Amino acid sequence: MPAISPITVRPACRADVPALLTLMRSLARFEGYIDDFRVTEQDLLDRGFCPSPEFHALVAVEGETLVGYAVYYTIPFTYDLRPRLIMKELYVVREARSHGVGEKLFGAVVSAAKAAGASSLDWLVLPDNLAAQRFYTCHGGAEDQNWQHWTLRP
């Protein structure tokens, strides 16, 4: 694979929103929910780039191009009175995979969890996404054997 330019990971800013939304749509296609995807640029601006953001986004930038992102949010406290970080999304464009971009993004989310004093960092992985499962295992993640993921669509 050809080498890519140095990657910078930083918090997303308002100017990143159009490219961030494009990456989010790419993930939605990859994970199979593009037909249900409803997020707009205005939604991202209103919910993530406001005085009390509902989520945080980190972007991986090569030159001027976004090549990946991670989105996480915080549950302020649970049973141990410490926050939990929930990584909702981590995505790297195909051309930048296997070049350390995912490691940098994931490392930045882990750093955010440590800085927040979080008791845990949690995320979901599709059952058939074996590459993601290998990636997270190699970086210290493990499937939670104590809990099952449940959902209700009211």
Side-chain angles (χ1 to χ4, degrees), residues 6-43:
I7 301 296
T8 302
V9 172
R10 60 170 173 73
C13 64
R14 294 176 74 84
D16 295 323
V17 166
L20 179 59
L21 185 59
T22 297
L23 292 178
M24 289 177 151
R25 284 187 181 121
S26 294
L27 177 63
R29 270 191 282 299
F30 176 80
E31 291 187 341
Y33 58 88
I34 191 65
D35 291 341
D36 297 321
F37 190 82
R38 300 287 179 262
V39 180
T40 67
E41 287 184 19
Q42 195 61 52
D43 293 323

Side-chain angles (χ1 to χ4, degrees), residues 124 143-151:
L124 300 173
E143 185 176 358
D144 188 337
Q145 299 296 316
N146 296 320
W147 296 93
Q148 296 177 355
H149 178 76
W150 289 48
T151 191

Side-chain angles (χ1 to χ4, degrees), residues 36 42 69 83 109 119 136 148:
D36 297 321
Q42 195 61 52
Y69 76 96
V109 176
S119 60
Y136 292 124
Q148 296 177 355

Side-chain angles (χ1 to χ4, degrees), residues 72 85 105-117 121:
Y72 66 91
L85 257 68
L105 282 166
F106 187 64
V109 176
V110 170
S111 292
K114 288 178 182 176
L121 168 61

Side-chain angles (χ1 to χ4, degrees), residues 48-127:
F49 300 91
C50 57
S52 297
E54 295 175 23
F55 70 90
H56 301 278
L58 300 168
V59 292
V61 183
E62 178 188 15
E64 299 293 318
T65 304
L66 269 60
V67 295
Y69 76 96
V71 169
Y72 66 91
Y73 62 92
T74 304
I75 297 174
F77 71 92
T78 60
Y79 65 92
D80 59 4
L81 297 176
R82 294 174 61 196
R84 292 175 70 184
L85 257 68
I86 308 298
M87 184 172 66
K88 178 63 181 108
E89 299 176 352
L90 189 148
Y91 180 75
V92 176
V93 298
R94 182 175 310 280
E95 302 78 27
R97 293 179 191 158
S98 299
H99 292 282
V101 178
E103 285 88 349
K104 286 185 177 190
L105 282 166
F106 187 64
V109 176
V110 170
S111 292
K114 288 178 182 176
S119 60
S120 69
L121 168 61
D122 303 307
W123 63 92
L124 300 173
V125 179
L126 288 172

